[in-house]
Amino acid sequence: MAKKIIPKKTPMPEQPPGERVKNFNEVPYGYTAEQAMAEAQRCLQCAKPLCMTGCPVNVNITGFLKLVADGDFRGAINIVKETNSLPAITGRVCPQEQQCEIVCALAKRFEPVAIGRLERFVADWEAAQVDLPIPQLRTLTGKKVAVVGSGPAGLTVAADLAKMGHHVTVFEALHEAGGVLVYGIPEFRLPKAIVRREVEYVCSLEVKLVKDFVVGRSATVDELLEEYDAVFLGSGAGLPWFLKIPGENLSGVYSANEYLTRSNLMKAYRFPEYDTPIARGRRVITIGGGNVAIDASRTALRLGAEESIIVYRRSRDEMPARAEEIHHAEEEGVQLMLLTTPVAIHGNENGHVKELECIKNELGEPDASGRRRPVPIKGSNFRIPADIVVIAIGQSPSPLIPKTTADLKTGEDGVVTTDNETGKASKKGVFAGGDVATGGATVILAMGQGKKAAKAIDEYLKTGQW
Ligand code: FAD
C-alpha cells in the first residue's frame, strides 16, 4: 500500500513573540519524542536520497530518520555522530532550507521533512541521558596537530583527527571556545550551554584546548610548526567591514561584531551583574540583510528598543539570512526597510548618532553574486532618526596570522589561499578551512571544510607528501 503523505511539517512549539522579545531564552522548545517520531515517519525513505547530497558533512539522513521513526533515538544519534560532531548546533543554525531540505523528495509538492529539527531532537535527547557512551579512540599515531581557532571548522578538524588517533591541541584566542557560535549567534537562537556541551564532547576525544592564546602573538604559526607536524588554520573571519560613509565614528555606531560580542560573550544584557555595558536606544537601525543583521536587530529588541529597523539595499528575495530567522524577526516586530542604502550618519552636538541618511534603490541587472544589483534613485535621499546604528554588512579574516607567517598566501579580502579539496595552504604543513578560507559563510560549510582538511592532514601525516 502506498505511504500516506502528510503534506506539512510537524510544527515545533516555540515561545510566543510577545513574550520572547522580553527575554534571551531560546525561541523554539524542540520536538517531544512523539512529535519527532511523527515527523520522521513523513520521510519517504527514497532509494536514492537526494537530501544526503545536499549535506556538506554527508550525514546519513535517511538512515537516522528511519531510526527516529522507529523510536530508536540512540541508534539515530550514533548515525548522525559518525560524520557530524556538532549536531545540536547544526540542527539549530544550519540553513537546511537551502541544503538538505530543499532537495527532499517531498519538497516538490509539499513541505520537506524537518531534517534540522530532527537532528536537534536526537542531539538533545542524547544530552538528556545520564549514561553517555565513552567514545572509542583509535590507536595513537604519535603525530601532533595544532588547530588555530575553536569555531565549527576547528572543532570539526580536531574531532576527526583525534578519532584518527592523532594528538590535537586547539589554540583559541578568546576565553571561551566555540567561535561565532559563542560570540556571534545570540543565546535565544543557540544557547551557550549547548555549545559548551558540544565542545566538551570534542574534548572528550582527548583534544587539548588552550584558551587565551592568540596565534601570531602568543606564538607564530612558524613556531607552532617546530613542535607540531601540521597546523590547521580555522581562525574565522572576525574583522568587520564598514560602509566607508561619513559619521561612522560617531558614538552609538557599532559593528555587529562588537554589538553581539558585548551582548553574547560578555553578557552585557545582564549588566551590571556582568561588568560589560552596552548602549541601549529607543530606535536601533541595523544595516545589512544576513543572519548577522537579523541577530543584531532581534538583540536590540531584547535590550529594550521600541523600534528595531533593518536597512537593506536589495529586496527581500535577495536577503541572505535564513528564511526562518527573517520570519521570527518580523513576528517579534523588527521592521524591514528594503531597497535602501545608507549614505551618511549624522550626529548631535555631543558627537552621538542622531540620524541615518539613506537613498532609495531600484533593482538592476544581476551582479557577480547572481543577485539583482541595487541601483540608487537620484534625489531620493531621506533621513531616519536613530539612537544606535549597527553595521552588519560582512567581515573578512584578521590579517594577524598572514602578517606573522612566512610564505602564507592570501587572496581577495585577506582570505587564506587554499586548495579547495584538501584545504592545503601555500606553506608546507599548513592547512586552512572555514571562514578564514572562504570569507563569511556558514557553520556547515566550515565543518565540511574541516572534514576535508582532516582527511588531507591524515594523509599528509602518514605519507609526508605535500
Ligand atoms: P569562527 O566561528 O569565526 O571561529 C574562529 C575562531 O578562531 C574564533 O573562536 C576566534 O576567536 C579564533 N581565532 C581567530 N584568530 C585567532 C588567533 N590568531 N589565534 C587563536 N584563535 C583565533 N551560519 C549558519 O550556518 N547559520 C547561522 O544561523 C549563522 N548565523 C550567524 C550569525 C552571526 C552573528 C554570525 C557572525 C555568523 C553567523 N553564521 C551563521 C556564520 C557562521 O557562524 C560562520 O560561518 C562559522 O562560525 C565559521 O566557522 P569558523 O570555524 O570558520 O570560524
Side-chain angles (χ1 to χ4, degrees):
M1 203 171 63
K3 185 174 168 126
K4 183 171 174 269
I5 290 179
I6 300 163
K8 286 198 175 282
K9 286 180 180 177
T10 310
M12 184 151 66
E14 57 186 32
Q15 283 195 67
E19 215 169 276
R20 68 186 189 231
V21 285
K22 297 187 211 128
N23 66 58
F24 276 79
N25 300 339
E26 190 174 14
V27 171
Y29 294 126
Y31 280 153
T32 60
E34 292 71 30
Q35 288 166 331
M37 286 169 71
E39 181 58 24
Q41 284 159 10
R42 293 182 64 231
C43 173
L44 300 178
Q45 289 293 315
C46 304
K48 287 193 184 152
L50 291 177
C51 51
M52 277 139 74
T53 60
C55 175
V57 297
N58 303 112
V59 169
N60 176 355
I61 294 171
T62 46
F64 101 81
L65 292 187
K66 169 86 180 60
L67 295 180
V68 176
D70 294 344
D72 178 0
F73 306 140
R74 161 62 55 215
I77 184 64
N78 286 349
I79 289 191
V80 173
K81 279 187 150 176
E82 278 169 18
T83 55
N84 181 355
S85 301
L86 313 172
I89 292 167
T90 50
R92 284 171 166 82
V93 303
C94 250
Q96 291 103 4
E97 69 274 10
Q98 291 156 24
Q99 288 173 332
C100 50
E101 293 185 12
I102 198 174
V103 287
C104 169
L106 281 180
K108 285 187 200 132
R109 291 183 50 210
F110 309 107
E111 286 187 4
V113 178
I115 300 167
R117 294 177 185 177
L118 290 168
E119 186 177 54
R120 164 194 167 137
F121 168 78
V122 290
D124 289 356
W125 174 87
E126 184 185 49
Q129 309 309 302
V130 266
D131 290 326
L132 288 186
I134 297 163
Q136 294 291 311
L137 297 181
R138 294 258 191 98
T139 326
L140 293 177
T141 61
K143 298 286 182 187
K144 292 171 71 181
V145 183
V147 172
V148 183
S150 63
L155 291 174
T156 301
V157 94
D160 281 17
L161 286 170
K163 286 182 193 163
M164 291 167 187
H166 305 300
H167 286 285
V168 185
T169 305
V170 177
F171 295 97
E172 168 55 51
L174 297 175
H175 60 277
E176 193 153 347
V180 167
L181 308 173
V182 285
Y183 79 74
I185 303 182
E187 183 77 19
F188 54 84
R189 226 155 51 78
L190 181 61
K192 303 311 149 218
I194 286 167
V195 181
R196 256 174 243 133
R197 188 171 91 201
E198 306 233 307
V199 170
E200 273 166 25
Y201 167 71
V202 175
C203 291
S204 76
L205 302 169
E206 292 184 15
V207 167
K208 188 172 164 201
L209 178 61
V210 181
K211 295 187 243 182
D212 299 311
F213 192 105
V214 182
V215 174
R217 287 271 181 275
S218 316
T220 63
V221 169
D222 293 288
E223 283 163 349
L224 290 178
L225 280 171
E226 288 168 17
E227 191 184 335
Y228 294 87
D229 300 291
V231 173
F232 174 81
L233 303 176
S235 42
L239 190 71
W241 293 347
F242 286 90
L243 290 154
K244 301 192 178 103
I245 59 174
E248 274 186 303
N249 54 356
L250 287 165
S251 88
V253 179
Y254 284 88
S255 70
N257 191 310
E258 180 185 348
Y259 191 70
L260 290 169
T261 302
R262 278 176 182 263
S263 177
N264 294 323
L265 190 67
M266 314 309 286
K267 298 279 177 284
Y269 66 88
R270 285 163 66 182
F271 180 80
E273 187 191 335
Y274 282 76
D275 57 10
T276 300
I278 194 166
R280 295 167 191 249
R282 200 188 68 73
R283 182 183 269 214
V284 178
I285 299 188
T286 305
I287 301 161
N291 287 317
V292 185
I294 299 283
D295 283 346
S297 66
R298 295 174 73 194
T299 297
L301 285 179
R302 284 160 174 79
L303 288 171
E306 286 165 30
E307 280 186 276
S308 177
I309 302 171
I310 285 189
V311 167
Y312 178 55
R313 61 197 180 130
R314 305 185 206 236
S315 80
R316 189 192 182 97
D317 289 347
E318 287 83 25
M319 284 180 79
R322 291 185 64 208
E324 185 171 298
E325 300 311 334
I326 301 175
H327 168 72
H328 275 148
E330 285 192 300
E331 271 188 343
E332 290 167 9
V334 170
Q335 301 163 50
L336 302 184
M337 190 174 279
L338 301 167
L339 289 166
T340 305
T341 300
V343 290
I345 307 171
H346 300 283
N348 62 18
E349 58 287 358
N350 300 322
H352 192 91
V353 56
K354 183 175 151 227
E355 287 172 332
L356 183 71
E357 182 180 340
C358 300
I359 190 163
K360 292 302 290 179
N361 298 321
E362 55 194 2
L363 286 181
E365 292 303 308
D367 61 15
S369 73
R371 294 173 302 164
R372 291 183 65 192
R373 186 190 305 272
V375 182
I377 303 171
K378 241 184 169 173
S380 63
N381 293 42
F382 65 101
R383 292 184 181 205
I384 334 167
D387 303 309
I388 305 283
V389 171
V390 182
I391 300 169
I393 58 165
Q395 57 274 331
S396 354
S398 152
L400 176 63
I401 291 178
K403 267 192 187 160
T404 53
T405 311
D407 309 322
L408 188 69
K409 283 199 186 131
T410 54
E412 205 180 329
D413 289 331
V415 297
V416 172
T417 309
T418 54
D419 174 81
N420 199 27
E421 281 313 302
T422 59
K424 275 184 187 171
S426 54
K427 186 180 179 83
K428 189 172 178 205
V430 179
F431 296 75
D435 282 4
V436 73
T438 56
T442 62
V443 170
I444 199 75
L445 285 175
M447 291 174 64
Q449 292 204 330
K451 289 198 91 62
K452 279 187 188 172
K455 256 176 93 182
I457 293 171
D458 183 51
E459 191 63 27
Y460 170 64
L461 296 178
K462 280 180 185 148
T463 63
Q465 280 182 6
W466 188 248

